[in-house]
Structure formats: structure tokens, C-alpha cells
Amino acid sequence: MKLLNKTIRYYALISLPLLAIACVVSYWLIKSELRDGTDESLMREYIKAKELIQSNSINQTYYLSPDSLSYIKPQANESFVSGCTDTLIYDNIEQEEISFRKLTKQHSFNGKTYLITVLKTTIEEDELLESILSTFFIIVGLLAIAFFIANWLLSKSMWKPFYETINELNRYEIKNHEEHTFPKSDTLEFNQLNETLNKLTNKIYQDYVQQKEFTENASHELQTPIAVLKANVNLLMQSPHLKEQEMGQLQSMDNTLKKISSLNKALLLLAKIENNQFIEIEQINISEVLSKAIENIQEVAEVKGLKLFTSIEPNILVKMNPTLCEVLISNFLQNSIRHNKQGGEIQVKLSTNGLIVSNSGEPLSIKPEELFVRFKKNDSSKESIGLGLAIVKGIVDLYNFSIRYSFENSMHHFELKFI
Amino acid sequence: MKILLIEDEAELRKSIKQYLHQEGYLVESAADFVKASEKAGVYDYDCILVDITLPKGSGLDIIKQLKENHSKAGIIIISAKNSSGDKIKGLDLGADDYLAKPFDLAELNSRIKALIRRRNFDGSKSIVVNEITIIPDERQVKVNGDSINLTAKEYDLLLFFIANKNRVVSKNAIAEHLWGDDSDQMDSHDFIYVHLRNLRKKLMEKGCADYVQTIYGIGYNFKTN
């Protein structure tokens, strides 16, 4: 949930019950004020009635005025409730019950007891209450709406720097590190946040650079010791007194050294690609590079019994580093040979749409998205060092090409687009 | 044949020196830039093997110095820095070849031989080993005077064997020589066998002795004596 909505929701949660309570309380307050007013006027009428009794002798029920319902009645032994009460009286004209306020009291004068009943309709009061309350509701409603809108606008402008910071962070890519240009805000917290983020990303970038350099330096430093080992194994091979078992051991050492050496070379290459050390960019005729690379693998394909189908559109030009172009193509082709099956096939198709290399083979045992991750390799390829496709991905990323993998009809497809 | 080896790593220096010495070369060595520059300035060598990263200086400067002094020595760069930038810079300065560490000593040997052969304008243009004669400029091979037709790979294999004759050459070294970086990708040993079988057949058809000895587990030895 967005922060803005969240604050508004909390405001609503707090203010709506408060408003409801305020409504109820003001209803009762207004109502009791109005009632007091009515009761007071009833009281005044009662006093008038008392005066009437004192000045006139009243022997039968006497209505205070012709259209009034208030009356004075000489006391018979009639039971009554003394004081103010609410009552409903049926009105013949309106043909409905109308609510009245009624004051009934006894009054003794000259030894006679009178029952005074004064009535006053509360319709007006009710209507007044109604209109006061509806005005109140309208005001409260408008206030609430105004409040929400104001709050929303205010929050939006207040949180604006925060969202800009998020956008800036989203755009951030460690490979193209630049000092962030966060918008200056007059909010202390946002400035602190931006400052901290700047420090953090700078630190991450420094670590990243060091890490990258470390891989490259480590691979470099390994080259010489491997060369020493290799040279010594070469020398030892020349010894004329070797037993068969020792020769086998030497061979195993030589094979292992070769493996270490190619692993190291691949790591170094990957580090160099990632460190963007292949700067020269040329317009390359990729059709020629591909044809040449296919020539190189033809022999291997033949021995493995692989059928090679090629369709190469001539003179397709791509802007990239020539070394990386060769590496890219040969890694694709080697991959298609290595992960093929005996008697399988390879299809290579180059057009203006891009390069598609397909080869037959077993389905992947790893997830397709792990295919381009370093050292993630399929079970079936023990010989592989697991860096070939990571290098491909490195080159693809470097030039913003795109690559897609799919497995259809028992064929692995790699589709490369030069855009 | 005099070779100057400029390499700061003592162990590697020792091994290369020993291997080339067995090959019959006179090998002198220098471990840093100052000594290397001194020796290269004073003596004449047929071939100079130079590492680029050296204590007290760069191997590239030694190449520059040699070229300024119009040295006739062939220059092979041996470097741990397998960067195309360094390679191009070195070759532009006038180096003849570039070999990235780690390399096989047999490979180094064959590069030195090829370089000396190319440099040796006055000398003979062919390599003669008993009944085999190779004319590298024409990529032609004759056995007892009869030309034989070899494929490119068979020719390269034969030349590599002859450069390293009477030496044990590992299958890995052969694979790397014939297929370069692509050799990582295949069970290259079977391929070597196929090419070797054809080469042997073609040589022996013309009455050539079978010089190739299989050294169990490791590789082959082209034994001519």
C-alpha cells in the first residue's frame, strides 16, 4: 500500500469515529437546548394560566384560547403525571400524530384545586433540529473532503523528494556508476536519506571495483605459477627412465594443468569483459567471422557425427570489438558441439534479424535462467568449465545485445539479436 | 645459436633454459630490465625471449631499444598478460611473435625454430631430416625427393614433430599447436590420432621410416636417431 494511502487511511480511521461521536453529542445537546426552550415557554403559559385562575372563576374545562389544546380543568379526582412529558396527539386536519410537549401541574387557589395542562407542538423544534443537524453534517462532510484533499496534495508534495529518490535509485546501475543527483529537499530527513544513500552506493561501487580487479589480478598472478608447473612437467617428460605408471601420472598432471589454464584464461577474459577492457570498436563483418569459425569446427563436427546446417546472409555488419566478436561466435559454436549428442545436428542461421544457433541434445537439467550464470553447468557436461555462456552473456550485456534461450522439438535454441 | 631469455620468474627461467639447452641452444638469461637492457645492448643474439612485466621496467622498452640499435635478433614476447593490446603494441614495435603464459615448452621451441628459419635469409630454405625434406615457404614435403600431398593439419603436425624431434611431445601440446584455443573444446586426442595415422601412412608409402613412437600415456616422440 502506498504511503500516501496509508496515512489517509489512518486519518480516516481516527477522524470518522470522532466525527460520528461529535454528531451524536451535538444532536443531544441541541435537542436538550431546544427542549429547555419549549419547557420554558410551557412554564410561561402555565404561569399565565395561574393568573387566569386568580382573576376568573373557572368551573368547567377552560381552553386557554379557541384553537389551543391547553386547558384548565377544575380538579376532579383524576390521576395525572405532574411535570413535562412528550406526547403524541392525533391531529384531525393533518390526519397524523403530531408530537407535543405537555406540562401538567396542579394549582390550588381559594381552596379549589385546578389541573393545568399546557401543550405545545414540537414540530418547529424538530424541524429546527433537523435543519441544524443537516447543516452540521454538510459542514462536517465538506470539511472531511477538504481535509482529505488537502492532506493528499500536501503529502504528495511533501513526499515528492522521496519518490524522486526511489526513481533515481531504480535508474542506478553499478556498472555505470555515477554520483547520484538526488533533488535537494527542504526536509531534513530526506536530505539525510539521500546523503546516506550516496555514501552507501559509493562504498558499494568501490567494493565492486576492488572485487573486479581482484579477479583479474588473481588470474594474472596465477598464470606464471601455472607456466612454471607446465614447463617442469614438460621437462620431466623428457626423462628417459620413466616407468609407465609415472608417464600416466605425468599425463594426468599435464591434463589437469591444461584445465586449470583454460579455466584461468576464461576467468581472466570474463573479468576483462566486465572491466570493459576491450575498448576498440570496429564495424565487423560478422558473416565472415561466422563462416571462418564454422570452418574451424567442421572437422570436430564431422568426427562427432554431427550434421551442420548453415544459412548465412552475407555482409551483416555489427559494431563491436573484433576479439570479442570471435569469442562470442566460437563460444556459441563450441557450446553447440559440446552439448550435442552423437549423430545430432547443429543449425546456424545468420540474418539481419540476428544469429540463431540450435543444436540437438537432452533437455537442460538446470533452470534456463541459470544457464548464463558462472559455473552452473548441466550434469552431462563434466568436461565443461562452466564459463562459456557466462562469457557470452558478458559480451551480450556489454553491447546491449539480447539473447534468448528456448528448448523446442528436442533442440536447444540460442537467439542473439544485435540491436 | 644464441638466445637471450628475459624472464623474472626464477623457476620458469630455469626450466626454459634447461629445455632450450637440451635443444642445443646457447641460452643466456636476465632477470630484470636493467640487466636485460645491458645484455641486449652489448651482445648479439639470434633470438630474444622477452617477458613484458619486468622488475624495473617494461619488456616493450627493450624491444624499442633493440629496434633502435637495428638488432637482427628475432623477438618473441612471452607474457602472462594475455591482452590483445599488449600483443598489438609488441608486434607493432617489431616483435616477431607472441606467446601467452602458460605455454608448452615444445610450442616455444617450435616458435623459436620457425622464427630462426624465417630470419635466416642467407641460409638454406629447407629443413632436411634424413629422407624428409620440407620447404616451408612452399609448404611442401618431399620424401626421398618425391613430393607428398599433406593436408594443412598433417603438414603442421609434421613440422611440429620435426621442430621437437627426439623429444617427448604431449598430446596436449600437439592439440594446442594444431587447434589453438579450440583445443579446449574437444576430445582432441582422437583427432590427433586420426591426423597422425594419415601422416604416417603418407610418409611410409613413399618409403619413409616410421619415426613416430608412441609414448604411453603422454604423447609421441619423433625419433630420428
Side-chain angles (χ1 to χ4, degrees), chain A residues 234 238 251 255 299 334 338, chain B residues 105 168 172 182 185 195 217:
Chain A
N234 287 167
Q238 309 306 327
Q251 173 69 21
N255 288 344
E299 185 187 359
Q334 283 163 356
R338 194 198 295 281
Chain B
L105 291 178
V168 177
N172 287 333
D182 288 339
Q185 296 301 317
H195 290 295

Side-chain angles (χ1 to χ4, degrees), chain A residues 220 223-232 234-235 237-239 242 244-248 250-252 254-258 261-262 265 268 272 277-278 280 293 296-297 299-301 303-304 321 323 330-331 334-335 337-338 383, chain B residues 7 9 11-12 14-16 18-19 22 79-85 88 100-106 153 166-173 175-176 179 181-191 194-195 215-219:
Chain A
H220 258 316
Q223 300 279 60
T224 308
I226 296 171
V228 171
L229 269 175
K230 195 162 177 147
N232 278 305
N234 287 167
L235 274 177
M237 277 177 193
Q238 309 306 327
S239 162
L242 288 176
E244 271 195 8
Q245 194 196 351
E246 290 162 342
M247 288 178 188
L250 274 176
Q251 173 69 21
S252 145
D254 198 50
N255 288 344
T256 311
L257 276 172
K258 185 178 169 178
S261 168
S262 27
K265 263 189 214 161
L268 190 56
K272 279 180 173 171
Q277 291 188 16
F278 294 91
E280 320 135 51
N296 285 342
I297 62 150
E299 185 187 359
V300 187
V303 172
K304 278 205 162 184
N321 178 280
T323 313
S330 84
N331 274 18
Q334 283 163 356
N335 194 65
I337 291 179
R338 194 198 295 281
E383 282 302 308
Chain B
E7 164 64 56
E9 170 63 41
E11 292 294 328
L12 192 57
K14 215 169 87 188
S15 311
I16 295 177
Q18 192 184 338
Y19 194 93
Q22 285 173 7
S79 175
K81 261 186 155 181
N82 186 13
S83 82
S84 53
I88 291 167
K101 285 181 195 170
F103 48 78
D104 211 286
L105 291 178
K153 286 273 183 297
N166 302 315
R167 288 296 188 105
V168 177
V169 182
S170 76
K171 288 175 193 164
N172 287 333
E176 245 175 274
W179 289 285
D181 283 343
D182 288 339
S183 68
D184 295 353
Q185 296 301 317
M186 45 202 198
D187 321 313
S188 39
H189 297 179
D190 296 337
F191 297 106
V194 173
H195 290 295
I215 307 296
Y216 173 81
I218 299 179

Side-chain angles (χ1 to χ4, degrees), chain A residues 343-354:
Chain A
E345 63 179 75
I346 299 172
Q347 293 172 7
V348 183
K349 196 176 162 205
L350 178 71
S351 65
T352 40
N353 290 329

Side-chain angles (χ1 to χ4, degrees), chain B residues 53-64:
Chain B
T53 19
L54 289 173
K56 300 178 196 168
S58 161
L60 291 174
D61 290 329
I62 293 180
I63 301 175
K64 242 184 247 170

Side-chain angles (χ1 to χ4, degrees), chain A residues 28-198:
Chain A
W28 285 115
L29 278 177
I30 293 168
K31 195 171 173 157
S32 76
E33 276 305 309
L34 288 172
R35 176 165 296 175
D36 285 355
T38 314
D39 289 358
E40 259 170 45
S41 73
L42 284 176
M43 208 58 182
R44 275 197 297 275
E45 220 171 321
Y46 166 72
I47 289 165
K48 266 191 221 159
K50 269 200 317 195
E51 283 164 3
L52 210 73
I53 293 169
Q54 279 161 15
S55 52
N56 301 299
S57 67
I58 291 163
N59 297 318
Q60 54 184 23
T61 301
Y62 173 78
Y63 284 90
L64 294 182
S65 64
D67 58 344
S68 170
L69 292 170
S70 303
Y71 56 90
I72 304 167
K73 202 173 167 189
Q75 177 75 7
N77 280 332
E78 208 176 303
S79 70
F80 68 94
V81 187
S82 178
C84 287
T85 47
D86 288 323
T87 185
L88 290 171
I89 292 171
Y90 191 79
D91 181 29
N92 283 325
I93 303 162
E94 300 268 336
Q95 294 205 330
E96 61 178 2
E97 290 193 311
I98 293 171
S99 67
F100 280 86
R101 189 75 176 159
K102 177 171 151 193
L103 173 66
T104 310
K105 242 178 167 173
Q106 256 184 348
H107 181 64
S108 299
F109 183 71
N110 284 343
K112 267 177 134 178
T113 314
Y114 298 90
L115 187 66
I116 302 171
T117 300
V118 276
L119 282 150
K120 191 170 164 59
T121 172
T122 55
I123 289 178
E124 277 157 32
E125 280 84 355
D126 285 348
E127 275 170 1
L128 187 62
L129 181 66
E130 224 168 74
S131 61
I132 289 175
L133 276 181
S134 48
T135 316
F136 179 79
F137 272 120
I138 289 169
I139 291 173
V140 163
L142 284 176
L143 257 177
I145 291 169
F147 168 75
F148 283 135
I149 291 174
N151 189 53
W152 186 70
L153 286 174
L154 200 67
S155 300
K156 212 171 163 131
S157 77
M158 248 171 46
W159 286 101
K160 199 176 165 219
F162 181 73
Y163 289 116
E164 282 172 359
T165 300
I166 290 180
N167 283 339
E168 175 77 24
L169 282 182
N170 271 334
R171 275 198 299 274
Y172 179 72
E173 260 182 82
I174 198 156
K175 277 185 188 165
N176 318 318
H177 174 80
E178 275 171 17
E179 190 98 352
H180 293 297
T181 46
F182 292 123
K184 271 266 173 262
S185 155
D186 49 10
T187 314
L188 177 71
E189 282 82 355
F190 289 146
N191 283 336
Q192 277 175 342
L193 175 72
N194 291 346
E195 206 176 300
T196 313
L197 282 173
N198 247 334

Side-chain angles (χ1 to χ4, degrees), chain A residues 262-299:
Chain A
S262 27
L263 181 63
N264 203 38
K265 263 189 214 161
L267 271 178
L268 190 56
L269 177 65
L270 197 54
K272 279 180 173 171
I273 293 169
E274 282 171 2
N275 293 354
N276 206 359
Q277 291 188 16
F278 294 91
I279 321 158
E280 320 135 51
I281 290 180
E282 289 172 20
Q283 193 81 265
I284 293 173
N285 188 333
I286 200 157
S287 312
E288 279 175 14
V289 177
L290 182 61
S291 306
K292 217 164 140 192
I294 285 175
E295 238 170 71
N296 285 342
I297 62 150
Q298 223 140 27
E299 185 187 359

